[in-house]
Amino acid sequence: MNTPSAAETAHYTASTPRSRKLQAHAERYLPGGSSRGTAHWTPYPFFAERGEGHYVFDVDGNRYLDFMLNATSLIHGHAHPDVTRAIQEQAAKGVAFSAPTEVQARLAEMLCERVPSVELARFTSSGTEATMNAIRAARAFTGRPKIAKIEGGYHGSHDFASVSVTTPADSLDPAGPAPAAEFPGLPQGVLDNVVVLPFNDLEACERVIRRRADDLACVIMEPVVSSFGYLPAEPGFLRGIRGLTRELGVLLIFDEVQSLRTAPGGAQERLGVAPDLTAMGKIIGGGLPVGAFGGRRDLMEQFDPQREDAIPHSGTFNANPLTMAAGDAALRRLTPDAYERLDRLGGQARAKLQAVLDELEVKAVVTGIASLFAIHFGIDEVTDYRSKLQADAAMTSAVFIGLLNEGVLLQQSCAGSLSTITSESDIDTLAAAVRRVVQRTAST
Ligand SMILES: Cc1ncc(COP(=O)(O)O)c(C=O)c1O
């Protein structure tokens, strides 16, 4: 029951013979056949051939209605003509210079205008580098070594973010969040300098933060936690953490690598709480590799290379002009009307999915905000990492594979996002596919 059924897996493998062959070839040269954890699933991933609008096509000619959208980054879908044109025009002029470009400043200006807490920004090539540098800024400014993060929060793949992200249920400390390494060999020194907090529990967070304040450089968190199904923090929780960190001289970093797409000014605008520093990524690069971090002028000025004591920040591909041009074209299309439409359709998607699940009398809850949604099977509430862990993982992967057979691509966690080209009929297609797959899965 609820594992990808033999029939579902057989259907998938029968429809993807060329992908299967390419996977076998790739495994000879790449561990697992790829370079990205999220791009692998059992029995093997399809190999992408091209993307067009809301669809991605695999090498066997199968077409998938794409709500994965490269982990929410393709907010205008695949190969949007405006973004493609910007990339082509820039490519013809050169793809990289070790000199600044006008378009870099234009994109930074747009970020600063849209996100008022961002007075100055710097670009990186990934969200991982964005959170890493925001943390570095906080440490340098406060002279304190420790950081605090939420249990189950994902902030990229650098060492200090690799603590208590996917801790298995049987390794959790029943007394409350405690630092746990994501992989063997993570130095004890890293674990000793990360404090782990429970989400949405202000009282518990306050006790820990007050106790550690003298050593604590920052609290880093997503205002809308992606790994909990795009779960927004309780407004009182965010306000409480903001007040507390300000009182104690601890800096507050919001990781908006995903949640920036919830409003022109990100989730901080939507939820009404401004951090000291913000990490960004995904949509701001128009689909190309990107990250950015920004915030209070006095914190960001630490990176000014004109200062003798500047924090070094280099990167061969930082602010590369292709990404800047694509990001500029993508953000320009994100008008207030576009956000309003994404919000409306996101609400519809969540409501329709929940209605299907309720009608089928399947225990499941749909969470999310704005253009983001997630289905959690086997539970009817998510409040934090520990409640999310109670979800039915086998049903989740069964539905993921079943949806591929229906020509619909979600994240493997059965979460997804909409793009500015998503239509009401795309949402109906999604809901109808979920209905068929859940009916099939529940009856095996
Ligand atoms: C919330 C959050 N922070 C940071 C990152 C890391 O970004 P990147 O994959 O660009 O390194 C991600 C990526 O999924 C993310 O979702």
Side-chain angles (χ1 to χ4, degrees):
M1 168 98 170
N2 293 347
T3 45
S5 73
E8 236 30 283
T9 305
H11 181 173
Y12 177 73
T13 49
S15 332
T16 54
R18 194 159 151 66
S19 284
R20 191 167 69 247
K21 255 195 210 145
L22 290 179
Q23 173 72 14
H25 174 255
E27 281 182 12
R28 289 163 56 188
Y29 307 104
L30 297 145
S34 184
S35 303
R36 197 175 165 191
T38 46
H40 181 81
W41 60 77
T42 305
Y44 54 86
F46 68 72
F47 275 54
E49 202 261 328
R50 70 192 167 90
E52 188 183 314
H54 222 312
Y55 294 98
V56 60
F57 296 81
D58 71 15
V59 291
D60 289 288
N62 299 301
R63 189 183 82 160
Y64 304 91
L65 183 59
D66 186 2
F67 293 97
M68 207 293 178
L69 293 171
N70 198 25
T72 75
S73 60
L74 295 167
I75 200 163
H76 302 303
H78 294 274
H80 190 284
D82 287 2
V83 179
T84 303
R85 193 175 319 112
I87 294 170
Q88 284 170 338
E89 283 174 10
Q90 183 58 53
K93 292 193 273 182
V95 297
F97 314 105
S98 49
T101 56
E102 190 177 340
V103 67
Q104 174 185 195
R106 224 169 39 230
L107 187 56
E109 181 181 1
M110 234 187 302
L111 292 178
C112 293
E113 276 173 358
R114 289 177 181 216
V115 190
S117 74
V118 175
E119 294 180 303
L120 292 171
R122 275 177 89 89
F123 291 102
T124 61
S125 295
S126 66
T128 291
E129 294 161 85
T131 61
M132 188 179 77
N133 279 289
I135 289 170
R136 189 168 290 173
R139 286 192 166 126
F141 191 81
T142 59
R144 301 172 182 172
K146 291 191 191 326
I147 69 162
K149 72 175 287 288
I150 297 290
E151 185 178 49
Y154 179 68
H155 302 293
S157 53
H158 56 90
D159 282 359
F160 283 97
S162 299
V163 177
S164 300
V165 184
T166 59
T167 316
D170 58 6
S171 304
L172 289 172
D173 185 341
E182 280 296 299
F183 50 85
L186 187 72
Q188 187 60 41
V190 171
L191 293 168
D192 291 345
N193 282 295
V194 179
V195 175
V196 189
L197 302 171
F199 188 56
N200 271 340
D201 183 345
L202 184 57
E203 245 178 62
C205 287
E206 176 159 5
R207 267 196 311 276
V208 177
I209 293 172
R210 281 198 187 280
R211 187 152 35 95
R212 306 294 188 107
D214 287 351
D215 279 341
L216 201 56
C218 63
V219 173
I220 181 166
M221 65 167 67
E222 290 180 278
V224 168
V225 184
S226 311
S227 50
F228 304 166
Y230 301 115
L231 189 71
E234 304 279 348
F237 178 70
L238 277 193
R239 278 197 303 272
I241 296 286
R242 175 65 285 188
L244 187 65
T245 47
R246 188 174 285 131
E247 176 198 327
L248 299 171
V250 175
L251 296 170
L252 180 59
I253 303 174
F254 278 174
D255 178 346
E256 295 239 38
V257 168
Q258 293 210 52
S259 59
L260 196 71
R261 62 153 48 226
T262 61
Q268 56 192 271
E269 173 189 338
R270 211 174 162 114
L271 302 176
V273 176
D276 300 300
L277 289 159
T278 300
M280 296 164 274
K282 311 261 192 215
I283 63 164
I284 67 167
L288 268 56
V290 77
F293 62 103
R296 261 172 39 196
R297 180 171 295 277
D298 55 342
L299 300 174
M300 290 304 296
E301 277 175 344
Q302 298 179 105
F303 293 90
D304 181 347
Q306 298 164 112
R307 277 171 53 154
E308 264 183 26
D309 60 347
I311 303 174
H313 174 232
S314 288
T316 306
F317 299 108
N318 287 359
N320 78 80
L322 274 192
T323 296
M324 297 297 100
D328 180 61
L331 281 199
R332 268 174 213 291
R333 289 194 61 78
L334 286 174
T335 58
D337 282 355
Y339 281 102
E340 192 274 322
R341 188 168 176 281
L342 282 167
D343 254 36
R344 186 167 48 76
L345 291 179
Q348 269 186 27
R350 289 186 295 278
K352 285 185 177 174
L353 289 169
Q354 188 69 64
V356 162
L357 298 162
D358 290 348
E359 207 185 298
L360 296 175
E361 297 186 356
V362 167
K363 190 170 173 184
V365 63
V366 179
T367 56
I369 184 172
S371 55
L372 298 158
F373 64 89
I375 311 171
H376 314 261
F377 291 100
I379 51 176
D380 38 33
E381 196 187 22
V382 182
T383 52
D384 58 9
Y385 179 64
R386 293 179 187 220
S387 54
K388 165 73 191 162
L389 262 189
Q390 305 300 315
D392 184 341
M395 177 78 172
T396 306
S397 56
V399 172
F400 171 73
I401 293 289
L403 285 172
L404 291 179
N405 289 334
E406 293 284 337
V408 172
L409 176 63
L410 292 188
Q411 298 171 23
Q412 290 182 61
S413 59
C414 285
S417 65
L418 309 185
S419 76
T420 53
I421 56 166
T422 303
S423 65
E424 291 192 14
S425 105
D426 294 326
I427 290 168
D428 289 339
T429 301
L430 167 67
V434 167
R435 173 191 295 280
R436 285 192 295 275
V437 172
V438 168
Q439 273 172 330
R440 284 204 299 271
T441 309
S443 68
T444 51

